[in-house]
Amino acid sequence: MNFRDMTLLEYINSEDRVFFLPDMATNGLKFLNCKSYDVYTSPQKQLELATKMNQEFESDFIYSFCDGAIFCETLGLELLKPDYDFPSVMSHPVRTLEDVQKLKVPDPYSDGRMPTNLQSLGLIANNIDKPLYVSIQGPFTLAVQLAGATHLLRSIIRNPEYVLALLEFTTETVLRYATAVNKVGAMYISISEPGTVTLSPKNFEKYVVPRVNRIFDALTCWKGMHICGDTSHFLDLMLSCNLHAVSLDQIMDYNVVAPKIPKDKVLIGNLDPIELVGRSSPEKIQSVTQTFCEDMRPYNNFLCALGCNCLNDTPDENLRAAIQTARGFSKQ
Amino acid sequence: MSFDFYVVDSSYKHVVGEPQPSVPYILSKKSVLKNEEFGIQLLIYSTDSFFVHTNKSLNLSWRGLIDNLRIQISATAISEACEIDISQYFSANLIETVQDDNGKWISDIISDSLGLDCHHKEQAVYVAVKFPKEIEFSSCKLVITVHHSQGYQSESAIFEQEIPIEIIEYSLEEIVDSNFYMDLWQHPCNWARAYNLPYYQDAHFDLIEKYFVELQKIGQRVCDLIISDFPWAGQRCYQVMENHNNLFEFNIIGVSKDHDGKICCDFSALDRYIQLAEKYRMADEINLFGILGNWDARDFGNPLVDYADPIRIQYKDARTGQYAYFTTRSEVLEYLRIVFDHLDELGIWEKTLIMSDEPANINLFEAAIQLIDEAADGRKIQLKCAIHDQKFFDKYSHHIQSLSLNTCEVANNIASMDSLKEKVAENNGTLTWYSCCFPTPMNIFLKSPLIESRLIGWFTSYLNMHGFLRWSFGIWPQNVFESASYKPEKWAAGDMFFVYPSKNGAPLSSLRLKNMLFGLQDFILLEKAKNAFGREWLEGKLSTLFGEKSEIKFVPEREISMSHSLEWKDYANFKDEIIRKLLTRQKHLETISSAIINMDEENIISLIDEALSNNIPAFDIYNEGLSEGMLKVTELFDERQFFVSEVIVCADTLYKGVKYLQENYPITSSSGPKIVLAVVEGDLHEIGKNVVKIMFEAAGFRVIDMGQNVSAQEIVDTALAENADVIGLSTMMTTTMPKMEEVIKLLKQVPNHPKVIIGGGCINPNYAKTIGADGYSPNAVDAVKLVKKLVEV
């Protein structure tokens, strides 16, 4: 059976070994000797990069050069654009309800660099026969980028009307783009919501759950969510969303987390991308990964991955050590 | 047989045979703060002797079926229309009498006997209570019942008094946590002798610990080490035959000479004593006794042939197997070098002061300083003196780090107390006062008005001194329970002790000690009032109770005159006034604090205005209202009751209040440690850093917020220009983590650079260690704790 006909859970159990989902992005720029925006602006480069990454660090998914700033760039926000790293938002101009009302939901097929991205993803999906994994910024995190974290979190108490209006806009923006990404061949879309980690369970339930569900409901692919940091206080709420997988930060103890995950949902993670994969030796990585996979052996809903983005200068042999050890681990 | 009963305050002095208390002393109600200990007395007068006990069941005198009184204490509080028994907070002890120099029997010993035969036909009973801070009742009802029986008759209640007690919603801190500097000298060898224990063996240390428990209750700060033999020469105790007393104290250090004649010291007892003192928080300061200004070379002699100060040090000579005394200055010098090195190795040299008890001879004193200086071998020596000699005070007091002045010297120098205090404070010293065998006023003798024991705390506050020193806590003549009189021509009975040696080893408290404790609790309130309402206000009030300071006069040779009130009601009324004022103040400050927690940005200014109109200083509003509220927010955040949204809005309320105060009142900006915060270059995630900033400001730090995307060089330049204590770096992105290391590398090129802590979503402790940061914190609350530890706040 082809992976396209499988659920995520079936896919990761289609062989007697642990599967690995990488998200390494900037580590590949050196192979192509190009800068971030060289890749962002060229579907061909995206394909080249994905192909190269698949050769150098063969895993169970393919992926494009991660584009977390696509929405903000399309909406015209000022960006810091390092040559060899992801862009960051420099200002947060959407401060009032009036500002929100002036915003127009971008059309992924015509606005900004979105069509280029769709083209890139389609190329990758059609040329490499592995599930295409795409991480897309979630509506709350996009709202954080537009409004600024402090202002948005303050407004949750002081100006909920503005927050709801902004989230309505961001949800629609993400939904349209994610649907388009789904259509061009993405097999697994992960909604990335790091901006929600500061929320109370009550606010997570109120502001995050219904909106990501709206997006998930519109998607036909595998659906997951990733949140950085300590998510123990609202993990149950994450799991209550209409998703197939959750991916958590390396600070979460998977020996504690894994028993809490329903058997029909995939738990993704969470090798330490910094101390372990970034700064230690291949031998150490092999040993830790081996132990980790051993710990996760009872859980057939486990998909090995890094807890978060890895360091730009992570040695290639370290990345290979992590991926190969996990993928070589027999579940029997 | 008939009985009379009176309930009176703890400061009422009961003397057998004296008139029964009159109306002003009768107590009918009581107010008490949470965590405040208080005591009252039940006085029983009868026409014949009787047996009295506090057992819950039957008890009998050895004299059989004589008149038998059983004291019963019960207490109830009302909660939601139900009566709740709170008797467990109360205790009742019989008070034993002790004979004064004039033969009168004075109630003083808070006995641990459950029953006593009352031959005097008069008996006092001590009822005590201390409600915990957590108690939720605002009032209770204490009922004291006396049941009488005789022969095989059934008991009948012959006395019952109900005393309503108001439990005031104001928590008193423990004395040990207050800023009262208690310095009661310890005589461990005397304690050992009372129980026939070998010096500094296990049983002796068990006993010492029991005494330390009592000393801690009254906030003892100083650990006394006697490091020579009998420095006071037994105060000529060998001359007193009647009710004799062994007043010799022995060296806590075991001294010997080896086969080569080299001096060796066994510090095991000294080390254990210090450890025990530390356990009971009474080692803020270490005092060395016996090496400066030792007593009585004339009558008791001096084993040293070439040194005038009679330092007596026994040692065991391995060559002869016998004990001998040092005879030369050089031996003492060698010994002191070993001792000082040891104290230095223990890390306590900085807080060690060399004590001199009432020095008078300046030449002798200077020669001793020379010897000690030589032995210190370049270390700074610190001196402390208890002074009763004005000439010595005039000529030498400026060389001494810590001073304790006899009440006479206080009277002599009362106009210069403030400058004296400033001077000792410059050397991190303390200024205390003491009474000893003189003068008569403000003393703790059995003959003294009992209230004067309580006034020790009050007088200290009035004098604006750090605390109180007393030459003894527990030294007793042979038959102290029969007669406390010892050398009455010099030492009034009670001079030597606050406690009595009980049969089970734990010291028995006295009414004088309890009253002193109550006075120390009062001191805490007085100091709070001083801080809250100003020293001028407080001293103005206290002058009506103690008389003007200028009227406190030295009366040669060993007396003072002062016109202080001896009526507790006068003091109690003022205490009540203070409490009411503090409560009003607390209410305002708590309202402001609550407004921060409740995010009441709208009303914060009007609440501040209200507090200001009630004469609460702007700085107190800032410190105890606004900041206090934010600290509670920090706690709620720590407990995950609040999240970042709440913290931000609480901080908005705080900033609004602070801005208003700063714009309208010259409040001093915080003088806390300074921290530079920045998100490193390439990273624009501000929220973590902003929450950290809020927490640091709440904790009283001065924060310089450099924002996000800041270069390593800019961070280092700013931190150095601002003379910051700490740099706090944050990043959320793995890709910008190396920028933290850049900051540390730059800093390492600078001597005495600020410490660096790091945090952020992708950071962990190992990374902090790898790049050489001084610490890592996973969240804002822990960041504050970490930095407090790093800069020793």
Side-chain angles (χ1 to χ4, degrees), chain A residues 40-260:
Chain A
Y40 282 141
T41 52
S42 162
Q44 200 52 45
K45 286 269 181 206
Q46 283 275 23
L47 176 61
E48 274 179 50
L49 181 60
T51 307
K52 188 69 182 168
M53 295 302 274
N54 191 40
Q55 287 165 2
E56 293 289 335
F57 312 107
E58 188 181 1
S59 69
D60 299 299
F61 293 80
I62 50 164
Y63 46 93
S64 67
F65 188 66
C66 185
D67 199 357
I70 183 67
F71 298 125
C72 293
E73 187 183 314
T74 305
L75 292 164
L77 268 65
E78 188 187 359
L79 296 181
L80 178 73
K81 293 178 176 173
D83 287 342
Y84 301 101
D85 205 344
F86 303 122
S88 304
V89 176
M90 294 187 76
S91 61
H92 314 285
V94 187
R95 311 291 286 183
T96 65
L97 187 59
E98 291 69 39
D99 292 338
V100 177
Q101 286 159 349
K102 284 179 202 157
L103 293 170
K104 180 179 157 285
V105 175
D107 180 349
Y109 298 104
S110 61
D111 289 342
R113 200 160 43 72
M114 286 180 168
T116 312
N117 266 13
L118 293 177
Q119 198 185 341
S120 302
L121 293 169
L123 262 180
I124 295 169
N126 292 327
N127 284 281
I128 307 172
D129 192 27
K130 281 187 181 173
L132 173 63
Y133 157 74
V134 182
S135 172
I136 298 176
Q137 196 169 55
F140 192 90
T141 304
L142 175 56
V144 166
Q145 301 282 30
L146 296 176
T150 306
H151 182 64
L152 185 71
L153 291 169
R154 174 189 290 119
S155 301
I156 281 177
I157 293 172
R158 292 290 185 224
N159 193 357
E161 195 190 352
Y162 152 76
V163 175
L164 289 170
L166 180 57
L167 285 174
E168 183 58 35
F169 168 77
T170 57
T171 304
E172 195 56 31
T173 301
V174 175
L175 190 148
R176 284 196 204 176
Y177 180 71
T179 312
V181 168
N182 189 179
K183 279 184 185 161
V184 294
M187 196 62 208
Y188 172 36
I189 293 179
S190 175
I191 298 295
S192 179
E193 278 285 30
T196 63
V197 76
T198 55
L199 292 177
S200 66
K202 197 179 99 190
N203 284 330
F204 188 88
E205 188 172 20
K206 179 178 175 185
Y207 292 107
V208 182
V209 174
R211 286 163 186 83
V212 292
N213 274 342
R214 243 172 80 193
I215 296 163
F216 287 147
D217 289 348
L219 301 179
T220 55
C221 59
W222 303 336
K223 297 162 282 193
M225 184 169 11
H226 173 80
I227 300 179
C228 305
D230 181 358
T231 42
S232 49
H233 58 297
F234 54 55
L235 178 60
D236 288 351
L237 292 166
M238 284 177 77
L239 291 167
S240 76
C241 295
N242 304 332
L243 43 66
H244 302 113
V246 287
S247 160
L248 307 175
D249 191 287
Q250 63 270 14
I251 66 166
M252 300 293 281
D253 181 351
Y254 267 28
N255 286 311
V256 176
V257 170
K260 296 178 183 171

Side-chain angles (χ1 to χ4, degrees), chain A residues 13 18 252-259 261 267-271 288-305 329-331:
Chain A
N13 284 290
V18 168
M252 300 293 281
D253 181 351
Y254 267 28
N255 286 311
V256 176
V257 170
I261 307 298
L267 174 63
I268 303 171
N270 75 342
L271 291 171
V288 173
T289 308
Q290 187 79 18
T291 307
F292 181 47
C293 290
E294 191 65 53
D295 289 346
M296 294 296 110
R297 189 194 289 277
Y299 308 101
N300 71 354
N301 57 346
F302 166 65
L303 169 55
C304 195
F329 188 89
S330 168
K331 287 182 180 178

Side-chain angles (χ1 to χ4, degrees), chain B residues 458-496:
Chain B
W458 288 72
F459 197 47
T460 307
S461 182
Y462 188 38
L463 297 172
N464 201 35
M465 293 175 109
H466 291 114
F468 177 70
L469 177 148
R470 180 93 198 166
W471 74 278
S472 68
F473 178 61
I475 306 174
W476 313 279
Q478 187 67 14
N479 301 310
V480 65
F481 288 101
E482 289 165 26
S483 173
S485 190
Y486 181 77
K487 279 205 271 189
E489 68 286 355
K490 287 194 172 170
W491 294 345
D495 186 2
M496 294 188 292

Side-chain angles (χ1 to χ4, degrees), chain A residues 80 85 88-90 149-150 153-154 156-158 198-201 230 232-233 272 274-275 309-312, chain B residues 599 601 640 643-646 648-649 652-653 682 684 686-687 690 733-735 737-738 762 764 766-767 770:
Chain A
L80 178 73
D85 205 344
S88 304
V89 176
M90 294 187 76
T150 306
L153 291 169
R154 174 189 290 119
I156 281 177
I157 293 172
R158 292 290 185 224
T198 55
L199 292 177
S200 66
D230 181 358
S232 49
H233 58 297
D272 182 346
I274 302 152
E275 281 306 307
N309 285 335
C310 52
L311 302 171
N312 289 353
Chain B
M599 310 168 215
E601 213 173 331
R640 290 205 156 173
F643 290 81
V644 176
S645 288
E646 287 83 1
I648 289 167
V649 180
D652 288 344
T653 315
L684 298 159
E686 41 143 27
I687 186 68
N690 287 353
M733 293 162 53
T734 52
T735 50
M737 286 165 64
C762 52
N764 64 30
N766 284 337
Y767 184 68
T770 308

Side-chain angles (χ1 to χ4, degrees), chain B residues 468-596:
Chain B
F468 177 70
L469 177 148
R470 180 93 198 166
W471 74 278
S472 68
F473 178 61
I475 306 174
W476 313 279
Q478 187 67 14
N479 301 310
V480 65
F481 288 101
E482 289 165 26
S483 173
S485 190
Y486 181 77
K487 279 205 271 189
E489 68 286 355
K490 287 194 172 170
W491 294 345
D495 186 2
M496 294 188 292
F497 55 87
F498 280 108
V499 291
Y500 294 80
S502 77
K503 284 179 185 161
N504 69 12
L508 287 177
S509 190
S510 65
L511 279 178
R512 292 173 296 130
L513 182 66
K514 283 293 176 194
N515 272 281
M516 181 166 79
L517 183 148
F518 300 152
L520 301 180
Q521 293 180 156
D522 299 338
F523 172 88
I524 294 170
L525 277 178
L526 291 167
E527 291 301 294
K528 285 200 180 301
K530 192 183 283 179
N531 291 332
F533 314 124
R535 187 176 161 194
E536 202 180 328
W537 176 84
L538 182 75
E539 290 193 358
K541 293 280 187 179
L542 289 176
S543 67
T544 64
L545 297 166
F546 285 91
E548 293 292 339
K549 285 185 186 173
S550 56
E551 289 166 5
I552 300 173
K553 300 283 186 198
F554 171 56
V555 180
E557 290 288 325
R558 293 186 154 190
E559 284 299 343
I560 61 166
S561 71
M562 60 187 286
S563 55
H564 56 303
S565 166
L566 293 175
E567 298 298 329
W568 170 241
K569 278 203 182 311
D570 295 341
Y571 296 92
N573 288 340
F574 179 49
K575 182 182 170 188
D576 193 52
E577 183 184 339
I578 288 175
I579 290 169
R580 304 297 154 192
K581 271 178 83 76
L582 285 172
L583 280 174
T584 306
R585 180 178 184 278
Q586 180 177 276
K587 195 184 114 214
H588 283 291
L589 294 172
E590 279 178 358
T591 309
I592 291 169
S593 169
S594 299
I596 299 291

